[in-house]
Amino acid sequence: MTSLSACTARGTLTTLPDTPDHQVQQIIAATNRVSLDSAVRADRLSFSKIDVAVPEHREIGTVPVSGANAFSVLSRQNLDTEDALRAALQNAPRNAPLTLWIHGYNNTAAEAIYRQAQLAIDAKMEGAQVTFVWPSAATARGYVHDRDSVLHARQPLSDLLDTLDRVWPGDIVLVAHSLGAFLAMETLSWRNRGGHRANINLRGLVLLQPDIATDVFRAQVAGAGPLPELSVVVASDADPALWVSARVSQSDRRLGAHTDPDFYMPLGFRLLDVSGISDASQPHLVAFSSQAFLSYLSRLQRSDLS
């Protein structure tokens, strides 16, 4: 339930075109916020193309947001039409899947976007990168606000899936963390119940330490219709953020702390238990900060899941 760190700088989308010693990662940001600088909900999507400077001199898995090695923005451009969005994606390799990233609770827009840039560089994701930036309050006290924002975001995320079907001819892998996984499953279930056409390009679904009640997850899976053959839940029984969420929700445990593979197999999901991974900087951020897991994500992008 934490973001990069509750006690340090949160990071901003600061444009520093002369940033030295960096790699460039393009991120397409889609949001139902009034703007990326606001947490106010909007009823329509807006798009931006952001070139992120990812500092070379940093530890793998980290997202420094202050000092000489901070993440920053090289350029930022609004994409006001579908043709502009299509053009922004045209140079991405078609033989690598587009990664659609959905962040979790208590995230600023900068944290969500920088996190995907870090994942793309560290896990060597060569395909297009799209971040869905939903309106998190970006505060530890904002859990109820963020749950409401997730429900509000179902239609905009559904609209984004439809838009990507029109502008992107290749495969899509949806990767969602914590409360963002709840949003992903709610949207897929909501789309199916509403008679939406299945997202034909959705090849993979990866839920990272999802903040979902287990019985709610069963209902979401039942309502979602056919899911991708590549559907994975990453779980850890050593995630203190999910222990807090379980207490708040008066449940025994959250899905992201459920590590019994027999629970997942009938639902069509593969379990990846990361409880024993010891090289992560934070137990709720294993997927981002563990070199072992980053290697797994890299193999996933190549469809090599052995």
Side-chain angles (χ1 to χ4, degrees), residues 105-235:
Y105 148 77
N106 188 11
N107 269 225
T108 67
E111 286 169 338
I113 291 165
Y114 290 164
R115 183 57 78 184
Q116 184 167 16
Q118 175 256 313
L119 275 173
I121 294 293
D122 290 349
K124 299 178 176 60
M125 297 178 178
E126 298 177 351
Q129 304 292 315
V130 178
T131 303
F132 181 59
V133 187
W134 53 271
S136 168
T139 172
R141 298 184 300 275
Y143 189 68
V144 173
H145 173 281
D146 283 10
R147 295 273 298 188
D148 288 346
S149 286
V150 160
L151 296 176
H152 178 271
R154 290 175 300 183
Q155 182 65 61
L157 178 55
S158 179
D159 292 342
L160 174 57
L161 291 172
D162 288 336
T163 299
L164 291 176
D165 258 354
R166 294 192 296 270
V167 304
W168 176 254
D171 291 330
I172 296 170
V173 173
L174 193 161
V175 182
H177 178 240
S178 192
L179 198 57
F182 178 68
L183 170 56
M185 291 304 301
E186 271 295 294
T187 300
L188 293 176
S189 179
W190 188 69
R191 281 170 63 85
N192 188 55
R193 292 196 305 269
H196 287 257
R197 181 173 66 92
N199 192 276
I200 58 174
N201 293 340
L202 188 60
R203 181 177 65 82
L205 175 63
V206 183
L207 306 180
L208 307 175
Q209 293 169 262
D211 187 3
I212 310 174
T214 54
D215 55 348
V216 171
F217 180 67
R218 283 196 196 94
Q220 290 171 328
V221 171
L227 291 171
E229 183 177 351
L230 172 59
S231 292
V232 180
V233 169
V234 177

Side-chain angles (χ1 to χ4, degrees), residues 9-130:
R10 302 297 297 269
T12 59
L13 293 173
T14 303
T15 301
L16 298 172
D18 297 323
T19 303
D21 300 328
H22 64 267
Q23 295 175 269
V24 180
Q25 178 61 56
Q26 177 180 288
I27 300 291
I28 303 298
T31 187
N32 65 318
R33 301 180 182 213
V34 169
S35 74
L36 289 176
D37 303 312
S38 169
V40 177
R41 301 170 188 133
D43 292 325
R44 59 180 296 274
L45 283 172
S46 59
F47 295 87
S48 303
K49 178 170 76 74
I50 300 174
D51 286 338
V52 177
V54 179
E56 293 182 349
H57 305 298
R58 64 179 177 88
E59 185 179 350
I60 288 178
T62 64
V63 183
V65 294
S66 60
N69 289 327
F71 278 59
S72 62
V73 172
L74 296 173
S75 65
R76 178 173 168 179
Q77 175 188 351
N78 292 334
L79 304 174
D80 296 325
T81 67
E82 204 164 280
D83 285 342
L85 175 60
R86 184 180 290 106
L89 293 169
Q90 67 180 358
N91 292 327
R94 296 298 193 264
N95 61 344
L98 177 151
T99 300
L100 173 57
W101 162 244
I102 305 177
H103 64 85
Y105 148 77
N106 188 11
N107 269 225
T108 67
E111 286 169 338
I113 291 165
Y114 290 164
R115 183 57 78 184
Q116 184 167 16
Q118 175 256 313
L119 275 173
I121 294 293
D122 290 349
K124 299 178 176 60
M125 297 178 178
E126 298 177 351
Q129 304 292 315
V130 178

